[in-house]
Amino acid sequence: MAGFAPTTLRTGRLTLRPIEAGDVDAYLTAVDDEVRRWMPWSEDFTREKAVRWCTEEAAGDLSRALNFAIVPGDAGRLEGGVGIGRADWETGVAETGYWLGPAARGRGYATEAVRAVARHAFGLGLTRVELLAAVGNVASQRVAERAGFTREDVLREARPLPGGKPADMVRFRLLKDEL
């Protein structure tokens, strides 16, 4: 059975590494109101939830997902997260997602991180990486476009936003030969 292995990826400015127990405080600092606006997992985000994520849940099911801390070279600590998830090794399709705390926004880190995880996924044999962004999350849609993804369609009421209300999502895709 195909799958992922914990690994560290490096780009020109970032280290993408497995999330660790020592990331709890940085995680708590990075999750602000903008993250809470778009990421359902960030609702009622407590120290206990951060500890559980950093010590247990981020490792996840390596047959389907791999999560990374985004660590800019100038920061030296977690400033966000990026991952590959929902991997279907039979069809070659996976999904990427990301978030950044306020100190890391507007620097192109999300674009750089998304391209790196897509490249990693393609290197493992996946052939298509999808990215979903809420219709109202224009900044996230721009990240997808800058990373080379193509807008495909809008999935109606595809994912809940914080508060549980289903939201329409713009689906983007990147194919292996487009990177």
Side-chain angles (χ1 to χ4, degrees):
M1 176 182 208
F4 298 104
T7 190
T8 297
L9 307 175
R10 288 189 169 70
T11 70
R13 302 178 302 155
L14 303 174
T15 298
L16 307 178
R17 61 159 173 76
I19 296 166
E20 309 166 342
D23 291 326
V24 171
D25 289 333
Y27 219 100
L28 286 165
T29 299
V31 175
D32 68 344
D33 288 342
E34 185 64 15
V35 173
R36 286 185 192 91
R37 181 177 176 196
W38 302 111
M39 302 293 176
W41 57 261
S42 67
E43 280 187 292
D44 304 320
F45 198 62
T46 63
R47 174 171 278 288
E48 180 181 313
K49 287 181 181 180
V51 167
R52 190 169 50 250
W53 173 253
C54 292
T55 60
E56 300 169 29
E57 295 171 2
D61 174 1
L62 292 174
S63 69
R64 296 190 30 94
L66 184 61
N67 294 297
F68 296 93
I70 298 175
V71 181
D74 62 345
R77 68 183 199 138
L78 176 147
E79 294 290 345
V82 64
I84 308 166
R86 302 181 200 285
D88 182 331
W89 298 95
E90 288 183 33
T91 64
V93 178
E95 185 178 321
T96 188
Y98 51 90
W99 64 275
L100 286 174
R105 290 187 197 124
R107 299 179 180 198
Y109 293 155
T111 301
E112 197 170 320
V114 166
R115 288 182 64 80
V117 297
R119 188 175 298 110
H120 183 65
F122 295 145
L124 295 173
L126 294 165
T127 58
R128 176 186 173 99
V129 175
E130 296 182 344
L131 186 156
L132 298 181
V135 167
N137 192 344
V138 176
S140 190
Q141 293 176 46
R142 278 188 287 220
V143 167
E145 291 165 348
R146 285 188 202 120
F149 285 68
T150 300
R151 180 186 172 123
E152 286 201 328
D153 54 9
V154 174
L155 303 173
R156 300 204 40 216
E157 296 188 0
R159 296 265 170 85
L161 289 180
K165 184 176 186 222
D168 295 348
M169 296 284 161
V170 180
R171 179 170 45 187
F172 293 86
R173 65 101 176 97
L174 183 66
L175 303 178
K176 185 175 184 172
D177 64 355
E178 295 173 336
L179 188 59

